[in-house]
Amino acid sequence: TELHFGLHNYQKEVVERALKGENIIIWLPTGGGKTRAAVYVAKKHLETTPNAKVMVLVNKVHLVDQHYNKEFEPHLGGTFIIKKVSGENKEKDFFGLVVKQSQVVICTAQILYNALINKEEARHVELSDITLLIIDECHHTQKEEAYNKVMRLYVEKKLKGEKPLPQILGLTASPGTGGAKTLDKAVEHVLEICANLDSAIVSAKEYASELKEVVPKPRKIFKIVNERLKDPFGDHLISMMNTIHSRMNLPQDFRLKKCGTQEYEADVVDLEERGIQEKNRLLAQCALHLRQYNDALLINDTLRMIDAYRSLEEYYSKKRTNPIDGTDTFLLELFEENQVELKNLAMDSRFDNPKMDELQSTLLQQFGSGVPSRAIIFSKTRKSTHCLKDWVLKNRALQEAGIKADILTGAGNGITYMTQNEQAETIRNFRMGSLNLLISTSVAEEGLDIPECNLVVRYGLLTNEIAQQQASGRARARDSQYEFIGQAGGREHCRERINECLEELTGQAIDRVQTMTPQDFCTKVSLQEMVVTCTKIKQRRQAEKRSRNTASSIQLLCRNCFTPVASGSDIKLVENMYVNVNPDFKKHYTFGDQLTLERSFEDWEPRCTISCKICSKKWGNEIKYKKCAILPNLAIKNFVLESPGQERLPVKKWKDVPFTVEEFNFKEYCEENITDLLD
């Protein structure tokens, strides 16, 4: 069995301490075979530990299948019982039993966390049942993610001296610097990851040269493009924005940043919230529309003018139905009066985007060279991937070069999201060669098993050094190149250069952490106690905030027309959804399209989308619960809360509402609404 593992020397080097039972984070670049090294550790652990139980945690659903099919099942399946569990399959409902019957379980972190806090026997798992916990992409222990919640339970047990605890094995290609720009701060960031995982960090030292040989770094090319000489389309958008600025009489203390930037977007988001708090609908609505114009400027900067024009056209086509007041009429008329002019400017090829020309020549150079090629373009938004695909399909030169492109975006449950199956299908086609160009959002940067590419292009992207390392790790074919296209001195260019420095900094920080004396390292890990205390304080604060108001004293208003439509006491929590259980709520909304979700759920099914009867603002969708109760499932971001003192609060997430939402009581609901349910 040793033979078919075929580990490289650098892999043997990084697993050495883990084989002795120490808690370790393995840091190897993308393509360096971290998962294979982890399988090897798991195998040795299973062979030498009585009652061994290995749990493999991943942070994205598609990685459950990938790790199972590619690594764990082929290498360990003949000898050990391996199970995979994700939100997609029924086994999560008796996860405790699955864990009892298996020796290796691969699942998302959320499923394990739910099982650790769930007391029902069939679903419950104890940390002490697990002997080895493998955490994939473990740099995600920052923030309030499921990894962190699992590890917090571990650290609490450790600090209380409770035993036994599992051995920890973390895997990462890019711990990042956590936004730090100095070595000291970057060291703190790496130590924080070590503290969160209660582990030391290990990388290839003795066999570093072999690692370089096995995982070649792609050639990096910066394609720097000059600004458009003239941009009459963008100028016209800005003049329309200025018309809106003068109409909305901005607050005295407010200075808007430059149009067409992320900073401007942040400003108008603040203005909309301010409009809501000050009950000033003119300010709130103008801010929402300005965000759309700013979006169009950002699209114009990266893509075609016609893409920017279409994004506005689509927005306003939905606004034509029912303007509520003079503000709506003004905004709609402004667009309609300028529509023809905008469209004509957008069609004028003299002002085409020079970045698109650069992208075209990059692709033609690669695909026209006669060498069979595979490429990925990473772009910022789902919208931009759709625009780029449309461009490739309509571009004669690219079609003649034999480019066959498709989109790869994240799994989710909106219209523009891809399902898991569509993702898998696209990657399969790319592997087989019926597609040779993927146009992707950052979903493909991390973990997705994408075949080797000779060209990776980052196009119009502002991301951190972790995403950059993950992306360049996709250019794995020999002699492949990693290319960046951006404007001279532009923000993306600066960011890319900063990322290169940060990548260096990460390496230096890890070196520093590795050379600390055990005493130093241990004092730093007292961070753990601090983290546990801080979390408790934070939870207490949230609970206090929720007990400030009774649910019945809070009113929900439509975020667009400010009509009061519900009371906080109408809202109940069912299966992580916030539903309105008051039957009278029906008279406030109209129905839209039927929702379809790829996966089915045990207790409920989705129905139509719902919108405000007065202004058509989308609110959420209905669900059918236990085959009989029809309940509106609401997104809080589409409402405004009004407290007893007439104070208005825009809230982004349900967890931040200033009152307590109770669990849905199905039995009680049925008794109260028996006549409706029988109809």
Side-chain angles (χ1 to χ4, degrees):
T1 56
E2 289 301 307
L3 290 173
H4 80 258
F5 257 86
L7 290 192
H8 295 286
N9 288 320
Y10 71 82
Q11 286 171 304
K12 290 180 187 152
E13 179 187 355
V14 295
V15 300
E16 218 165 86
R17 288 172 66 182
L19 294 176
K20 293 179 189 153
E22 289 182 53
N23 285 3
I24 292 299
I25 295 167
I26 292 177
W27 175 47
L28 283 177
T30 303
K34 293 180 292 297
T35 319
R36 179 67 51 87
V39 174
Y40 183 72
V41 174
K43 175 175 179 290
K44 290 288 177 211
H45 178 86
L46 288 159
E47 288 166 354
T48 55
T49 313
N51 302 324
K53 197 164 294 295
V54 178
M55 181 80 73
V56 184
L57 297 189
V58 297
N59 65 325
K60 297 217 172 84
V61 180
H62 62 253
L63 296 176
V64 174
D65 283 340
Q66 190 173 298
H67 282 350
Y68 179 85
N69 299 335
K70 281 258 160 21
E71 294 289 350
F72 284 88
E73 179 55 36
H75 288 104
L76 305 177
T79 326
F80 304 103
I81 302 163
I82 306 178
K83 278 281 194 316
K84 53 174 185 165
V85 184
S86 69
E88 314 264 304
N89 54 19
K90 294 274 186 273
E91 275 154 338
K92 70 172 196 301
D93 299 324
F94 37 93
F95 187 65
L97 304 176
V98 173
V99 173
K100 276 197 175 64
Q101 293 155 6
S102 338
Q103 288 158 297
V104 180
V105 178
I106 305 170
C107 65
T108 51
Q110 190 62 48
I111 285 181
L112 174 61
Y113 179 70
N114 293 348
L116 290 170
I117 58 174
N118 193 324
K119 293 292 171 256
E120 270 175 70
E121 196 175 328
R123 295 180 184 221
H124 182 66
V125 172
E126 273 296 332
L127 262 179
S128 52
D129 301 339
I130 303 165
T131 55
L132 173 63
L133 186 59
I134 298 175
I135 302 183
D136 187 37
E137 306 288 4
C138 69
H139 50 273
H140 288 288
T141 50
Q142 260 44 47
K143 302 192 286 284
E144 277 305 297
E145 301 195 39
Y147 279 171
N148 228 359
K149 292 178 179 167
V150 169
M151 284 313 298
R152 204 169 293 132
L153 294 174
Y154 171 100
V155 168
E156 279 177 16
K157 274 191 186 308
K158 178 199 160 186
L159 293 174
K160 284 183 197 152
E162 291 180 22
K163 290 199 168 64
L165 284 170
Q167 178 188 351
I168 304 287
L169 177 63
L171 311 174
T172 181
S174 40
T177 66
K181 304 280 189 291
T182 64
L183 183 55
D184 284 348
K185 286 270 183 258
V187 167
E188 268 176 42
H189 171 73
V190 172
L191 277 171
E192 200 179 316
I193 293 178
C194 291
N196 285 340
L197 286 154
D198 196 35
S199 298
I201 189 161
V202 175
S203 56
K205 293 269 185 249
E206 197 183 330
Y207 292 101
S209 55
E210 181 199 42
L211 173 60
K212 276 206 172 76
E213 187 51 39
V214 174
V215 187
K217 274 209 150 180
R219 273 197 327 255
K220 192 162 206 179
I221 297 170
F222 280 96
K223 288 275 179 82
I224 302 305
V225 180
N226 293 321
E227 235 179 305
R228 283 186 181 129
L229 293 173
K230 284 201 174 126
D231 180 13
F233 174 78
D235 296 341
H236 198 88
L237 288 178
I238 291 171
S239 74
M240 292 168 74
M241 290 164 88
N242 286 329
T243 307
I244 300 175
H245 292 156
S246 51
R247 175 72 177 240
M248 67 202 274
N249 49 41
L250 284 164
Q252 289 291 293
D253 58 340
F254 212 90
R255 282 272 156 281
L256 281 165
K257 312 275 188 323
K258 188 176 172 223
C259 295
T261 60
Q262 296 314 143
E263 288 83 6
Y264 180 91
E265 180 175 329
D267 281 348
V268 289
V269 168
D270 286 347
L271 272 181
E272 193 247 349
E273 295 198 347
R274 204 157 151 171
I276 286 170
Q277 284 154 355
E278 295 170 6
K279 305 184 184 178
N280 178 344
R281 188 166 186 275
L282 171 70
L283 190 61
Q285 286 303 309
C286 287
L288 280 176
H289 287 245
L290 284 169
R291 186 173 178 180
Q292 296 295 325
Y293 280 99
N294 196 57
D295 241 8
L297 281 173
L298 289 166
I299 294 171
N300 181 46
D301 183 49
T302 324
L303 301 155
R304 297 168 298 184
M305 296 179 284
I306 197 69
D307 297 320
Y309 168 76
R310 279 184 199 142
S311 77
L312 278 175
E313 187 182 50
E314 193 185 331
Y315 179 70
Y316 280 100
S317 67
K318 295 186 183 124
K319 292 276 171 205
R320 293 207 168 99
T321 41
N322 41 358
I324 304 170
D325 59 18
T327 299
D328 294 351
T329 316
F330 156 70
L331 290 162
L332 185 58
E333 283 175 356
L334 176 69
F335 176 71
E336 287 179 342
E337 283 157 15
N338 287 275
Q339 194 169 0
V340 175
E341 171 75 351
L342 275 177
K343 190 167 189 179
N344 289 339
L345 288 170
M347 308 290 280
D348 190 332
S349 59
R350 288 175 303 171
F351 309 113
D352 279 347
N353 192 340
K355 288 182 195 162
M356 299 287 287
D357 299 339
E358 193 56 66
L359 183 59
Q360 176 172 331
S361 70
T362 292
L363 291 172
L364 289 176
Q365 208 177 340
Q366 183 69 49
F367 286 92
S369 62
V371 180
S373 291
R374 279 207 186 99
I376 300 183
I377 301 173
F378 284 115
S379 190
K380 188 173 171 188
T381 57
R382 287 198 303 280
K383 197 184 245 169
S384 62
T385 60
H386 286 272
C387 297
L388 284 167
K389 178 182 171 183
D390 181 65
W391 168 71
V392 171
L393 294 179
K394 289 182 177 157
N395 183 307
R396 214 153 92 221
L398 296 179
Q399 289 304 306
E400 283 167 5
I403 293 179
K404 298 184 282 291
D406 211 345
I407 289 169
L408 181 65
T409 60
N413 49 15
I415 316 289
T416 55
Y417 284 92
M418 290 182 86
T419 63
Q420 223 89 49
N421 291 342
E422 288 167 341
Q423 270 188 352
E425 178 70 8
T426 301
I427 291 170
R428 195 175 310 121
N429 292 336
F430 190 58
R431 183 173 288 116
M432 307 300 281
S434 57
L435 290 175
N436 53 19
L437 174 65
L438 286 185
I439 303 169
S440 175
T441 51
S442 61
V443 62
E445 280 165 1
E446 194 167 287
L448 267 181
D449 186 34
I450 290 166
E452 302 181 345
C453 298
N454 354 35
L455 173 68
V456 167
V457 183
R458 278 165 58 87
Y459 185 73
L461 265 182
L462 278 166
T463 52
N464 63 15
E465 73 283 5
I466 294 184
Q468 179 181 329
Q469 272 169 283
Q470 298 276 9
S472 76
R474 298 287 156 240
R476 286 188 208 169
R478 291 271 158 202
D479 303 324
S480 58
Q481 64 185 30
Y482 165 89
E483 196 163 292
F484 163 82
I485 297 177
Q487 205 165 296
R491 304 179 40 185
E492 298 100 338
H493 184 205
C494 297
R495 184 69 235 202
E496 198 77 9
R497 288 285 188 217
I498 290 171
N499 287 345
E500 290 185 330
C501 303
L502 291 179
E503 202 173 319
E504 290 278 294
L505 199 58
T506 303
Q508 291 166 5
I510 290 172
D511 280 347
R512 170 87 67 89
V513 169
Q514 288 170 335
T515 53
M516 280 182 172
T517 63
Q519 289 81 359
D520 270 354
F521 187 72
C522 287
T523 54
K524 297 291 189 198
V525 176
S526 68
L527 281 168
Q528 293 176 333
E529 292 168 3
M530 205 172 70
V531 168
V532 168
T533 315
C534 290
T535 308
K536 289 195 169 139
I537 293 170
K538 206 150 121 203
Q539 286 166 344
R540 198 171 304 140
R541 279 206 189 123
Q542 258 188 335
E544 272 169 22
K545 186 177 162 190
R546 288 204 195 100
S547 58
R548 260 180 231 157
N549 299 287
T550 59
S552 56
S553 70
I554 298 283
Q555 282 289 308
L556 271 76
L557 281 49
C558 170
R559 184 153 183 160
N560 183 39
C561 63
F562 297 163
T563 308
V565 290
S567 153
S569 55
D570 299 336
I571 308 296
K572 300 286 183 254
L573 181 59
V574 56
E575 307 247 356
N576 279 335
M577 292 176 289
Y578 289 82
V579 296
N580 188 325
V581 298
N582 185 343
D584 293 342
F585 183 59
K586 274 197 181 50
K587 60 173 186 269
H588 292 294
Y589 62 79
T590 55
F591 299 103
D593 309 330
Q594 170 66 34
L595 258 193
T596 50
L597 300 179
E598 185 191 30
R599 42 191 277 219
S600 58
F601 298 87
E602 206 179 341
D603 288 333
W604 64 276
E605 53 192 271
R607 287 167 57 97
C608 298
T609 57
I610 59 172
S611 304
C612 175
K613 204 171 235 173
I614 293 176
C615 71
S616 305
K617 168 85 180 158
K618 210 181 233 169
W619 285 349
N621 63 293
E622 281 194 334
I623 63 164
K624 189 174 196 176
Y625 184 66
K626 294 210 186 273
K627 307 249 184 292
C628 64
I630 309 264
L631 302 167
N633 167 27
L634 306 177
I636 189 64
K637 66 174 194 289
N638 301 328
F639 297 89
V640 179
L641 301 178
E642 192 165 71
S643 68
Q646 299 288 294
E647 201 188 340
R648 286 188 180 173
L649 304 168
V651 177
K652 289 194 181 78
K653 297 204 164 110
W654 276 106
K655 68 176 173 47
D656 299 325
V657 299
F659 61 92
T660 306
V661 179
E662 290 172 3
E663 288 282 339
F664 177 57
N665 183 328
F666 182 59
K667 186 165 165 280
E668 207 173 276
Y669 176 84
C670 293
E671 286 162 2
E672 283 170 14
N673 297 287
I674 186 99
T675 46
D676 291 346
L677 293 171
L678 291 174
D679 283 353

